[in-house]
Amino acid sequence: MGTRAQIVEAHQKGSEAGRRNEPPTACPYPRDTTLRTAWIRGYAKAIRLYTSSGMRGV
């Protein structure tokens, strides 16, 4: 488990990866960790926002 600051940072990094259209396999955190969960949530949020706005792949 990470500290609150680490979790926020992982979420932000996931969001950035989603905006860059990187694959979800780009997550740098090990399986079954809170940091991986935070990264994936940030990634998924960015993908949803960019897909719904029509900007995906731009």
Side-chain angles (χ1 to χ4, degrees), residues 12-56:
Q12 290 171 340
K13 286 182 179 181
S15 183
E16 291 167 7
R19 287 194 299 270
R20 287 191 303 265
N21 204 20
E22 293 182 13
T25 55
C27 179
Y29 301 104
R31 294 179 149 236
D32 301 326
T33 64
T34 304
L35 296 177
R36 184 178 185 90
T37 301
W39 190 96
I40 291 171
R41 286 184 179 179
Y43 180 89
K45 184 176 181 180
I47 291 296
R48 280 194 311 271
L49 289 174
Y50 282 88
T51 300
S52 66
S53 70
M55 295 182 65
R56 180 119 165 107

